[in-house]
Amino acid sequence: MSEDKQKSEVKQAQIVTYLEQQQATKFRENFLLLHVYEQAQILTELTIRQRARLYRYLTPEELGATFNAVEEEPEAVIKYFDEMTPNYAAAVLGQMYTDNAVDILAFAEKKKLVQYLRLMPTEKSAEIKEMLHYEDKTAGAIMATEFVQIVSNQTVRSGMHVLKKEAKEAEMVYYAYVVDDEEKLIGVVTLRQLLISDDDALIKDVMNDQVKAVKVDEDQEDVAKTIRDYNFLAIPVTDYDDKLIGIITVDDIIDVIDEESAEDYSGLAGVDIEDSPEDPIKAASKRLPWLITLLFLGMSTATLISHYEQLVSEASILAVFISSITGTAGNAGTQSLAVAVRRLAYKGDDNKTLLRTIITEVITGVVIGLVTGLTIFVIVGLWKHNFILGFVIGLAMMCAIIVANLAGSIIPMAMDKLGFDPAVASGPFISTLSDLTSVLIYFNIASIFLSFITGK
Amino acid sequence: MSEDKQKSEVKQAQIVTYLEQQQATKFRENFLLLHVYEQAQILTELTIRQRARLYRYLTPEELGATFNAVEEEPEAVIKYFDEMTPNYAAAVLGQMYTDNAVDILAFAEKKKLVQYLRLMPTEKSAEIKEMLHYEDKTAGAIMATEFVQIVSNQTVRSGMHVLKKEAKEAEMVYYAYVVDDEEKLIGVVTLRQLLISDDDALIKDVMNDQVKAVKVDEDQEDVAKTIRDYNFLAIPVTDYDDKLIGIITVDDIIDVIDEESAEDYSGLAGVDIEDSPEDPIKAASKRLPWLITLLFLGMSTATLISHYEQLVSEASILAVFISSITGTAGNAGTQSLAVAVRRLAYKGDDNKTLLRTIITEVITGVVIGLVTGLTIFVIVGLWKHNFILGFVIGLAMMCAIIVANLAGSIIPMAMDKLGFDPAVASGPFISTLSDLTSVLIYFNIASIFLSFITGK
């Protein structure tokens, strides 16, 4: 694999050299032989001057195919189009799959967008305009409009004929969707099924009428779940009259799964890992708002401890265990949070599931609290020869863990119910919040037993 | 969607009733109309008595298709086979896709495994035996051996003929792989390409000879990356003589992506979210080992603070800020860890990338430390009217953050270099470790400035 990689890097360097030396024919010959993913890699590594030449050497259709495979963020990709003449840019966008073109155009300046749409074929620009209206992260926003559509009283032979004709344009030719007179979706037939069916059979006799579809405004995460569960290569998208308006292919769904898992992961760490710049100043400025916010939340913990400063000065031994208690409760709360967020995403958010998750987490917290509390009771008791101190630390740790588990499970669920993304309730947030409650619990319990601890 | 779901639940309940009432024909009629994913859902919800009846009503071929779609863990699935007669069990396993059968058989008792293999057709059992040797989480372990193979001097027509013949058995009929006389992989042709090519053209003239393949022992995460980058529906697997021995399809890759992202997420939270039991006792016993380990690590922090108890009793104000400093450094370290682990997974682990990531994280830590340190300096200075105290806290926080960022980036990379999964260096571990270093830094700085803080 690594040898493979080296070879392909040498090849790519050679192709860039052809471009550099203005050898148009040699460049085209070699560049067009590459997989579009590799073409896209080259494109994104060129200098602006080299790209200008690339735009001259490739037809809009060829460059459109390359841009379909570019994986940079759309706000970065639109900049390439700004480098082209408006005519060429519109032609390239017009050759791309509609969903990809729409992603990019969503970040175009208003003026440029109008210009590009005006320069495109009417049909294409109408499709794009329509799709620009769909809300981000819904089926409509990620669907492609290039699909194969047939009718139920065609023969298999004529269905195959349609497939062949559309094979060049459609994003997915292995499923043909069957519609009625009103363009309502009524079935699906796979190319595999067509292959093994008699040529003269009617589509309606070989199609699967139990076709699964998603509505245009369905959340992309739910679409991903359906494709994953059913192992589909694509799923049709319908509007509110059940009319077929697009398809979502499995490769787009892989991107969705990546995006959503990166979001969950980012949430847990309190940092956007998908968009973490390599420039330290920029990276720091992205992470600081969250850290400073938590610092202020942390200051309430400091204020609280400050309130008990008299207590600490009377029994400075209490300070020794602050970090053990806050740390352990924070760790338990983070575990609880991770499980709750994941269960929300995979098991749905009906009230029964929510309640069961909270109850499970609290009982888990009680068990964990008991075991951890007992452990620290024994350790502190033996270490400091003071089992009353051990009892105070153990009891405080147990209560702090139960509260942390409760917070770790309730907060993401409450956020979900209030319409926020539960993953925003990050690990750092839960552990900082749990610091506060842990300290409160700890000092209150300690106050009660103060005279026993100090032995005065 | 939710209405859809209700309807399908009613339908599934009806089908179970047919089973319950021993209406074999009605049951078969309705059950077999369902998508295999829905069949699998029903199967896993039946009672043992109902399942016994199911085994009688379905042919091994039908039940094999259902089992292909069961998503439970293989160690749970093997139990179903223990309920069947050995003959029937072997027949069902023989009808499943080899990769799925192998997954399950890996958890069979030795004696049963031998029995099942003996009862299967020789060819199938030989394939399964071969695949049982591949290491977990490699291409070999997740590949299917049912693929379409053609030769380069066939015509398109005869290639289509092969495809049609294999359409019932093969896991993926949309790609046909081209091999030479020695079964070495030399090209790939998609069904789309075959459709639009002239029937009399030779395969070698229409095939793509730049075929991407993976080696049988390649890590499943790398396979997933290739399929995702190239938007393939499947990728061929070759052995060390470049012979084609299997394919990996995109639906298996989606499972891999889910599994790997769940692992990363679990690592960050220090809890296995994929396998978190709903029974609180079991859940607690899974989480406790990690928490207790960290508690002991946390005790070193307590020991350290204990060492400075004299200092705290002289300046109890110091205790007030312990949790602010450990908390903020822990949060920064967690962010750093998340970014480093992700960059390792996506950008590779060559030394250049590693070094660059560490340098970036440390500089980011310096910037974050400066800003956060300044903030707390001002807050503490104003709040406690003691800017020297503010300076001590600010300086300690800055140093603690830099060390936490260094640990957050170096530890996962060191684990990767040593051959461990970097995701094991969990968030809780980094923040507990950072508690220790933060306290050490804090009290050392505080000792130096002690006389200024207390004003004595």
Side-chain angles (χ1 to χ4, degrees):
Chain A
M1 189 60 190
S2 143
E3 196 185 315
D4 249 38
K5 210 173 156 186
Q6 254 177 8
K7 246 193 268 172
S8 97
E9 270 172 23
V10 170
K11 201 165 63 180
Q12 295 189 6
Q14 178 60 52
I15 292 176
V16 175
T17 313
Y18 290 140
L19 189 67
E20 197 50 47
Q21 299 172 340
Q22 310 207 25
Q23 305 201 43
T25 324
K26 280 227 163 150
F27 170 78
R28 283 179 51 82
E29 257 172 26
N30 288 280
F31 184 82
L32 294 175
L33 262 184
L34 295 180
H35 188 278
V36 285
Y37 166 68
E38 292 158 343
Q39 295 179 1
Q41 279 187 314
I42 292 187
L43 185 147
T44 52
E45 277 164 20
L46 293 179
T47 63
I48 182 161
R49 203 172 47 80
Q50 289 169 334
R51 278 199 302 274
R53 205 166 282 159
L54 180 82
Y55 303 151
R56 282 212 312 282
Y57 289 175
L58 296 180
T59 66
E61 190 177 350
E62 288 157 356
L63 192 61
T66 307
F67 267 110
N68 275 328
V70 169
E71 284 179 353
E72 295 184 352
E73 296 295 314
E75 49 269 56
V77 178
I78 188 69
K79 302 220 167 69
Y80 297 122
F81 289 89
D82 295 341
E83 300 167 357
M84 309 172 194
T85 63
N87 264 310
Y88 184 74
V92 174
L93 286 162
Q95 291 289 342
M96 291 178 66
Y97 290 125
T98 316
D99 53 336
N100 297 338
V102 169
D103 283 349
I104 296 169
L105 283 171
F107 290 91
E109 288 166 39
K110 190 79 203 271
K111 217 182 70 190
K112 289 241 168 171
L113 173 64
V114 175
Q115 191 180 24
Y116 292 153
L117 288 176
R118 197 167 39 75
L119 290 166
M120 267 181 223
T122 335
E123 200 187 328
K124 192 86 187 182
S125 68
E127 258 178 37
I128 290 180
K129 264 185 230 160
E130 172 109 24
M131 283 187 64
L132 278 169
H133 289 128
Y134 295 122
E135 222 177 311
D136 197 26
K137 306 201 170 184
T138 61
I142 57 171
M143 74 184 182
T145 50
E146 294 84 358
F147 52 84
V148 181
Q149 170 173 331
I150 54 180
V151 293
S152 65
N153 53 6
Q154 274 182 299
T155 59
V156 166
R157 183 183 295 111
S158 98
M160 283 290 271
H161 189 72
V162 175
L163 263 181
K164 278 186 197 178
K165 225 179 53 194
E166 311 228 348
K168 261 200 90 174
E169 293 295 328
E171 190 159 348
M172 159 62 60
V173 295
Y174 304 126
Y175 293 166
Y177 296 99
V178 188
V179 294
D180 67 9
D181 301 342
E182 289 171 309
E183 300 212 323
K184 286 193 181 165
L185 179 69
I186 54 170
V188 61
V189 58
T190 63
L191 183 45
R192 169 186 270 186
Q193 185 63 45
L194 287 179
L195 273 187
I196 59 175
S197 299
D198 182 50
D199 278 353
D200 294 313
L202 287 176
I203 294 293
K204 67 169 160 242
D205 296 324
V206 300
M207 77 180 191
N208 174 1
D209 58 3
Q210 304 285 315
V211 55
K212 273 257 160 205
V214 293
K215 283 275 173 277
V216 66
D217 64 348
E218 192 159 323
D219 188 274
Q220 62 175 7
E221 212 169 344
D222 296 330
V223 180
K225 185 163 163 29
T226 306
I227 288 203
R228 176 167 44 198
D229 284 345
Y230 286 86
N231 286 344
F232 289 143
L233 299 180
I235 196 162
V237 181
T238 55
D239 66 10
Y240 275 87
D241 301 320
D242 290 324
K243 271 192 198 158
L244 177 62
I245 55 173
I247 60 166
I248 296 170
T249 51
V250 66
D251 51 297
D252 292 326
I253 284 306
I254 289 188
D255 296 339
V256 169
I257 293 176
D258 272 343
E259 198 181 311
E260 301 278 348
S261 86
E263 257 178 38
D264 287 355
Y265 190 81
S266 298
L268 199 59
V271 57
D272 181 357
I273 47 143
E274 264 206 308
D275 195 20
S276 176
E278 295 219 3
D279 173 21
I281 304 285
K282 282 189 197 154
S285 66
K286 284 215 144 198
R287 298 185 203 172
L288 270 166
W290 211 186
L291 285 176
I292 299 279
T293 310
L294 292 178
L295 178 62
F296 276 93
L297 180 56
M299 287 312 294
S300 2
T301 310
T303 315
L304 190 71
I305 303 178
S306 181
H307 186 74
Y308 287 98
E309 209 184 316
Q310 184 59 32
L311 182 72
V312 175
S313 69
E314 281 177 47
S316 56
I317 184 82
L318 288 177
V320 171
F321 298 99
I322 294 178
S323 72
S324 304
I325 293 173
T326 57
T328 307
N331 291 342
T334 304
Q335 291 183 330
S336 185
L337 170 78
V339 171
V341 167
R342 201 69 178 194
R343 210 163 270 165
L344 262 178
Y346 282 78
K347 301 238 163 133
D349 56 357
D350 55 298
N351 290 330
K352 219 177 99 194
T353 310
L354 296 193
L355 196 66
R356 213 163 68 186
T357 302
I358 293 172
I359 293 175
T360 305
E361 283 308 310
V362 172
I363 303 181
T364 306
V366 171
V367 177
I368 288 177
L370 269 173
V371 176
T372 326
L374 260 171
T375 309
I376 193 93
F377 161 70
V378 173
I379 296 177
V380 174
L382 293 175
W383 179 26
K384 297 288 173 190
H385 307 291
N386 185 342
F387 281 92
I388 294 181
L389 178 67
F391 174 74
V392 169
I393 311 281
L395 183 64
M397 191 174 278
M398 186 181 91
C399 298
I401 287 175
I402 295 171
V403 172
N405 268 35
L406 191 65
S409 53
I410 277 188
I411 291 177
M413 294 189 172
M415 299 197 80
D416 183 69
K417 281 279 163 202
L418 296 172
F420 297 104
D421 185 346
V424 175
S426 72
F429 174 69
I430 292 293
S431 53
T432 307
L433 187 69
S434 135
D435 283 354
L436 183 69
T437 56
S438 301
V439 165
L440 191 67
I441 291 167
Y442 179 36
F443 283 134
N444 270 302
I445 293 177
S447 310
I448 300 170
F449 292 89
L450 182 63
S451 56
F452 298 102
I453 296 172
T454 55
K456 285 173 199 162
Chain B
M1 189 60 190
S2 143
E3 196 183 314
D4 248 38
K5 211 172 154 186
Q6 254 176 9
K7 244 193 268 173
S8 97
E9 270 172 21
V10 171
K11 202 165 61 178
Q12 295 189 7
Q14 178 61 53
I15 292 176
V16 175
T17 313
Y18 289 140
L19 189 67
E20 196 51 48
Q21 299 171 341
Q22 312 206 23
Q23 305 202 43
T25 325
K26 280 226 164 152
F27 169 77
R28 283 180 50 83
E29 257 172 25
N30 288 279
F31 184 81
L32 294 174
L33 262 185
L34 295 180
H35 188 279
V36 284
Y37 167 68
E38 292 158 343
Q39 295 178 1
Q41 278 188 315
I42 293 186
L43 184 146
T44 52
E45 276 164 21
L46 294 179
T47 62
I48 182 160
R49 204 173 46 80
Q50 288 169 335
R51 277 200 303 274
R53 206 167 279 159
L54 179 83
Y55 304 151
R56 282 211 312 281
Y57 289 175
L58 296 181
T59 66
E61 191 177 351
E62 288 157 357
L63 192 60
T66 307
F67 267 111
N68 274 328
V70 169
E71 284 180 352
E72 296 184 351
E73 295 296 313
E75 48 268 57
V77 178
I78 189 68
K79 301 219 168 66
Y80 296 122
F81 289 88
D82 295 341
E83 300 168 357
M84 309 173 194
T85 62
N87 264 310
Y88 184 74
V92 173
L93 286 161
Q95 292 290 342
M96 292 178 65
Y97 290 126
T98 316
D99 53 335
N100 297 338
V102 169
D103 283 349
I104 296 169
L105 283 172
F107 290 90
E109 289 166 37
K110 189 77 202 275
K111 215 182 72 190
K112 288 241 170 173
L113 173 65
V114 174
Q115 191 180 25
Y116 292 152
L117 289 177
R118 197 168 39 76
L119 290 167
M120 267 180 222
T122 334
E123 202 187 328
K124 192 86 188 181
S125 67
E127 258 179 37
I128 290 180
K129 266 184 229 161
E130 172 109 24
M131 284 188 64
L132 278 168
H133 289 127
Y134 296 123
E135 221 176 312
D136 198 26
K137 305 202 172 183
T138 61
I142 57 170
M143 74 183 183
T145 50
E146 294 83 359
F147 52 84
V148 181
Q149 170 174 328
I150 55 179
V151 293
S152 64
N153 53 3
Q154 275 182 299
T155 59
V156 166
R157 183 184 296 111
S158 98
M160 284 290 270
H161 189 73
V162 175
L163 264 180
K164 277 187 199 178
K165 224 178 56 192
E166 311 229 346
K168 261 200 90 175
E169 292 295 329
E171 188 157 350
M172 158 62 61
V173 296
Y174 303 126
Y175 293 166
Y177 296 99
V178 188
V179 294
D180 65 11
D181 301 341
E182 290 171 311
E183 299 212 323
K184 286 194 181 165
L185 179 69
I186 54 170
V188 60
V189 57
T190 63
L191 182 47
R192 169 185 276 189
Q193 184 62 45
L194 288 179
L195 274 186
I196 60 176
S197 298
D198 183 50
D199 278 352
D200 293 314
L202 287 177
I203 294 293
K204 65 169 160 241
D205 296 325
V206 301
M207 77 179 189
N208 175 1
D209 58 4
Q210 305 285 313
V211 55
K212 274 256 162 204
V214 293
K215 284 275 172 277
V216 65
D217 65 349
E218 193 159 323
D219 189 273
Q220 63 175 7
E221 210 167 346
D222 297 330
V223 180
K225 183 162 163 30
T226 306
I227 288 204
R228 175 168 45 199
D229 285 345
Y230 286 86
N231 286 344
F232 290 142
L233 298 180
I235 195 163
V237 181
T238 56
D239 66 11
Y240 274 88
D241 301 320
D242 290 324
K243 272 192 198 158
L244 177 62
I245 55 173
I247 60 166
I248 297 169
T249 52
V250 66
D251 52 296
D252 293 326
I253 285 307
I254 290 188
D255 297 339
V256 170
I257 293 176
D258 272 344
E259 198 181 311
E260 300 280 348
S261 86
E263 258 177 38
D264 287 355
Y265 190 81
S266 299
L268 199 58
V271 57
D272 181 357
I273 46 144
E274 263 207 307
D275 194 21
S276 177
E278 296 218 1
D279 172 22
I281 303 286
K282 282 188 196 154
S285 66
K286 284 214 146 204
R287 297 185 204 172
L288 270 166
W290 211 186
L291 285 175
I292 299 279
T293 309
L294 292 176
L295 178 62
F296 276 94
L297 180 57
M299 286 312 293
S300 8
T301 310
T303 315
L304 190 71
I305 304 179
S306 181
H307 185 75
Y308 288 98
E309 210 184 315
Q310 184 58 32
L311 182 72
V312 175
S313 69
E314 281 177 48
S316 55
I317 184 83
L318 287 176
V320 171
F321 297 99
I322 294 178
S323 73
S324 304
I325 293 173
T326 58
T328 307
N331 291 342
T334 304
Q335 291 182 331
S336 186
L337 170 76
V339 170
V341 167
R342 201 69 178 191
R343 209 163 271 165
L344 261 180
Y346 282 79
K347 300 238 163 132
D349 55 358
D350 55 297
N351 289 330
K352 220 177 99 194
T353 310
L354 296 193
L355 196 67
R356 212 162 72 186
T357 303
I358 293 173
I359 293 175
T360 305
E361 283 309 310
V362 171
I363 304 179
T364 306
V366 172
V367 177
I368 288 178
L370 271 173
V371 176
T372 327
L374 261 171
T375 310
I376 193 93
F377 162 70
V378 173
I379 296 176
V380 173
L382 292 176
W383 178 27
K384 298 287 174 191
H385 308 292
N386 184 343
F387 280 92
I388 294 181
L389 178 66
F391 174 74
V392 168
I393 312 279
L395 183 65
M397 190 174 277
M398 187 182 91
C399 297
I401 286 175
I402 295 171
V403 172
N405 268 35
L406 190 65
S409 52
I410 277 189
I411 291 177
M413 295 190 172
M415 299 197 78
D416 183 68
K417 281 282 164 201
L418 295 172
F420 298 105
D421 184 347
V424 174
S426 73
F429 173 69
I430 291 292
S431 54
T432 307
L433 186 69
S434 134
D435 283 355
L436 182 70
T437 58
S438 302
V439 166
L440 190 66
I441 291 168
Y442 179 37
F443 282 135
N444 269 302
I445 293 177
S447 309
I448 299 171
F449 293 89
L450 180 64
S451 56
F452 297 102
I453 296 172
T454 56
K456 285 171 200 161

